[in-house]
Amino acid sequence: MPGVRAGGHDPREGSAGAAGTADPSGVSHRSRGGAPPGASSGGEEVEQVRPGSRPRPGAGHTSQQETAEASRGSGGRGGTSRAVPEPSNGGPGSASKRSSRGPSQPPTAESGAVSHPTTGDMTAAEVPPAAPKAAASDTTAQDVTAGNGDAAERERRGGDRLRFVGAATRRIARGMDLDETVLGLCRASVPAYSDAILVYLRDPLPVGDERPTGPVVLRLRRSDRIPDDPHAMVAAASAAEGRSQPDGEAATGAGTAVGPSPSAVADGTAGAAEYVEVLAGGPLAEVLRGVRPVFADAPAARDALPELLGSGPDVPSGQRAILAPLRGRRRVIGAAVFMRGPERAPFEPDDLLIAAQLATHTALGVDKAVLYGREAYIADELQRTMLPDELPQPTGCHLASRYLPAAETARVGGDWYDAIPLPGSRVALVVGDVMGHSMTSAAIMGQLRTTAQTLAGLDLPPQEVLHHLDEQAQRLGSDRMATCLYAVYDPVAHRIIIANAGHPPPVLLHRDGRAEVLRIPAGAPIGVGGVDFEAVELDAPAGATLLLYTDGLVESRQRDVWTGIEHLREKLTATARLTRPDASAPLEPLCDEVLDILGPGDRDDDIALLAARFDGIAPSDVAYWFLDPRAQTAGQARRLARRALARWGLEDLSDAVELLVSEVVTNAVRYAERPITLRLLRTDTLRCEVGDDVPQLPRLRQARATDEGGRGLYLVNRLARRWGATRLSTGKVVWFELPVS
């Protein structure tokens, strides 16, 4: 073997037991028998190769004896230590070697020691020290061949690249939204791979299979670069790892750099254009169509980079910049520009493979984030449309509601609430809970809510409504089960009728601050089939508040349903004490106080809350008559309405009310067979209701000049503020309202 004497070895090497051995990475080891070549008299171990330099033939290479000794690992008596290789200022593609006992120094822009090769991500605690320079041993140079040294160096560099790419792609893949994905690319690239980076994405980003129309426009989504101060660089890397700052975005903000940039790349990031329109057939379009990353000095990139960055930035020349297209699953969605300054070794051809990997994983992550955002938007829209946009404000009742999903990442569920105005100034209050909190649960909830609204429009009793909901749930599937509570409040009678289908009981908060859990039959859940539901009629005193809720408010892993209901009752009692004894607690703050009973671990299910304040209508504000269906009934109705208005001091409405009452009563008398009803209600408006036993609803139509009738509803439509007709189980009610001045 060249460089080895026949019949022995160089006397300067010492004995085999005392010789320093080198592992394949080129880092020397020292055994217990003596010091390695090149060691000082004080026993200090020095580096065999300078950082960033390539091994020279005959110097710093590994002999066969040393290679064999190193292959035995650190299990010998010499107690050799294993040194971890670090990349040089060329990035992951040109890592240097450092001594296992070299002095620890902060990283500098010249050394480029910014990335830990085993992870690919630099942290504040893992910034490798700069390696000291040392003269190569003549004896070692004679015992190592140039070919073996180059192979070991290439193998080590390849391992560094693989470790960096693995760590970088893991960081990119951690992002769930668009900003996190782009931030992951920037934090993984700077400063471990490049000194600066620019990330451009299409604006707007295409979603799924949709084909965007119009020109391709790229927007500068984010830029990042190394700060001048090495300590600031360490702090920035620590913040990226979440050690110094809890939020990496807080230090920089999207689309900004980490700090002052080196002079070599300052113009390349600070003056970049924010929006770029890609010209069809232009150089930038050709590079993006080619997909593969290219160096800045490549013919394809010479004209593409100025088109992308604009006229202001000055991109580093030579192989110090890489333009990498970002291609998603179906199309190119952007581009990334990696840059290095003069203090650092330029990119190598193998670094194009790293850029391609980073660009591919980033583009796929952006596609994933866009699709995830679209799904979240659809889920939000589905949940929003399934629940009422706003609650009605029926006469004699005030309403408030709350809805909380089980988690922010799954904003859909099977809980719902509703308030449906009914004839006679009544209102139906509904709250239900479909099993689960998925898209399927939300879809079933929407069908049940629509069914409940239809049944309420028929003015069916609460127990009949639950019976039909049970049949509907069985038609949807054998495993479609839900709980529901349906209540009807009558502000004139100050009564409420409630039917329950396996739902937690409501709580009635009286005006004096006493909270009462209403005793109503629990019933079986909807979807069981073959069960009867029972309705209970209770008093609804004025000033009382009824709370309907789902089990997510009172049940969790820490407590059962009845413990939660008792906690809710105590919370309502405590909240009522904060108001005056003669006043009821405001509804909106009351709902917020109720939600405060939820602890940190109590959000296991969706929560729907509906609060109804019973104001009622005083008997003195109600006028009610039964009238026989005769020809004289219309005149009698006009006289009764005039007397009621005089008693209430509303004589200015007499003419309009008499005309409209006459038209509606005349239409009812014409077809009714049983006595008709006439009722006047005075609240903030004057409401008139006429009921008969004919189920057919009147229709507004345009009467011809020769028609004798057909103008009654036309007058009602022109003079009344609102009017309508509702079918009942016993007939119908036609009503209209006039404003009270």
Side-chain angles (χ1 to χ4, degrees), residues 350-367:
D350 288 343
D351 289 327
L352 292 177
L353 301 177
I354 297 179
Q357 288 290 327
L358 297 178
T360 299
H361 285 274
T362 302
L364 294 178
V366 169
D367 268 355

Side-chain angles (χ1 to χ4, degrees), residues 272-460:
E274 184 177 358
Y275 288 93
V276 177
E277 181 177 346
V278 181
L279 303 178
L284 180 57
E286 293 297 327
V287 173
L288 296 180
R289 189 178 298 111
V291 177
R292 298 181 180 276
V294 293
F295 287 119
D297 59 351
R302 289 196 185 105
D303 297 329
L305 279 172
E307 181 182 347
L308 176 65
L309 304 180
S311 58
D314 185 13
V315 180
S317 60
Q319 293 185 355
R320 297 187 179 276
I322 294 177
L323 173 58
L326 303 179
R327 179 177 177 82
R329 292 175 176 84
R330 297 184 180 275
R331 60 183 65 85
V332 175
I333 59 174
V337 181
F338 304 93
M339 291 176 282
R340 287 183 180 176
E343 300 88 353
R344 193 170 185 174
F347 291 109
E348 298 180 358
D350 288 343
D351 289 327
L352 292 177
L353 301 177
I354 297 179
Q357 288 290 327
L358 297 178
T360 299
H361 285 274
T362 302
L364 294 178
V366 169
D367 268 355
K368 176 189 68 176
V370 172
L371 289 174
Y372 177 79
R374 172 60 63 89
E375 291 182 358
Y377 170 78
I378 293 174
D380 287 342
E381 285 296 307
L382 175 63
Q383 186 67 42
R384 186 185 64 81
T385 54
M386 293 299 181
L387 297 176
D389 292 334
E390 59 181 11
L391 293 173
Q393 295 300 330
T395 303
C397 183
H398 289 82
L399 303 173
S401 63
R402 294 290 186 273
Y403 174 79
L404 293 179
E408 290 297 326
T409 55
R411 298 185 60 86
V412 293
D415 294 15
W416 91 91
Y417 62 88
D418 207 349
I420 309 168
L422 299 178
S425 300
R426 297 171 300 155
V427 59
L429 307 174
V430 190
V431 65
D433 183 5
V434 179
M435 288 191 309
H437 41 81
S438 61
M439 299 284 285
T440 303
S441 302
I444 296 173
M445 175 267 287
Q447 297 182 66
L448 293 180
R449 177 173 177 251
T450 302
T451 303
Q453 289 180 332
T454 304
L455 296 172
L458 299 176
D459 197 31
L460 297 179

Side-chain angles (χ1 to χ4, degrees), residues 53-140:
S53 63
R54 299 179 59 87
R56 299 189 305 272
H61 295 283
T62 308
S63 66
Q64 292 180 350
Q65 179 181 359
E66 292 172 334
T67 304
E69 191 74 14
S71 65
R72 290 192 289 268
S74 59
R77 299 174 57 188
T80 58
S81 62
R82 183 176 180 271
V84 180
E86 62 172 294
S88 70
N89 51 6
S94 56
S96 67
K97 298 174 287 183
R98 64 186 174 102
S99 170
S100 60
R101 294 188 179 183
S104 177
Q105 299 176 0
T108 62
E110 290 77 8
S111 67
V114 293
S115 176
H116 199 293
T118 60
T119 62
D121 297 333
M122 186 194 72
T123 65
E126 296 174 347
V127 177
K133 297 181 180 181
S137 171
D138 295 337
T139 304
T140 306

Side-chain angles (χ1 to χ4, degrees), residues 623 625 639-650 680:
W625 302 278
R639 291 191 298 271
L640 295 174
R642 188 185 311 114
R643 294 173 187 173
L645 294 178
R647 185 171 67 250
W648 292 334
L650 301 178
L680 298 179

Side-chain angles (χ1 to χ4, degrees), residues 435-561:
M435 288 191 309
H437 41 81
S438 61
M439 299 284 285
T440 303
S441 302
I444 296 173
M445 175 267 287
Q447 297 182 66
L448 293 180
R449 177 173 177 251
T450 302
T451 303
Q453 289 180 332
T454 304
L455 296 172
L458 299 176
D459 197 31
L460 297 179
Q463 65 272 20
E464 291 295 327
V465 172
L466 295 184
H467 175 72
H468 289 292
L469 286 177
D470 179 63
E471 293 180 341
Q472 175 67 12
Q474 295 180 61
R475 285 190 291 267
L476 295 176
S478 58
D479 58 343
R480 309 307 188 192
M481 298 184 64
T483 63
C484 183
L485 193 146
Y486 188 92
V488 176
Y489 169 64
D490 189 345
V492 177
H494 296 270
R495 303 283 288 179
I496 185 169
I497 304 176
I498 306 177
N500 191 6
H503 204 78
V507 179
L508 184 64
L509 178 62
H510 293 267
R511 191 167 188 173
D512 58 3
R514 179 173 54 91
E516 175 189 3
V517 179
L518 298 183
R519 298 177 178 271
I520 57 177
I526 291 174
V528 174
V531 296
D532 294 330
F533 301 98
E534 182 179 353
V536 177
E537 186 173 358
L538 304 171
D539 288 331
T545 303
L546 183 69
L547 265 73
L548 310 179
Y549 54 89
T550 56
D551 57 356
L553 180 65
V554 294
E555 185 181 21
S556 67
R557 298 171 185 169
Q558 287 76 23
R559 61 188 181 189
D560 56 36
V561 174

Side-chain angles (χ1 to χ4, degrees), residues 39 103 111 142 163 177 243 295 316 338 347 369 653 656 662 699 720 729:
S111 67
Q142 296 175 0
R163 285 187 290 270
D177 58 21
R243 300 184 180 183
F295 287 119
F338 304 93
F347 291 109
L653 297 178
S662 178
R699 303 292 182 183
S729 58

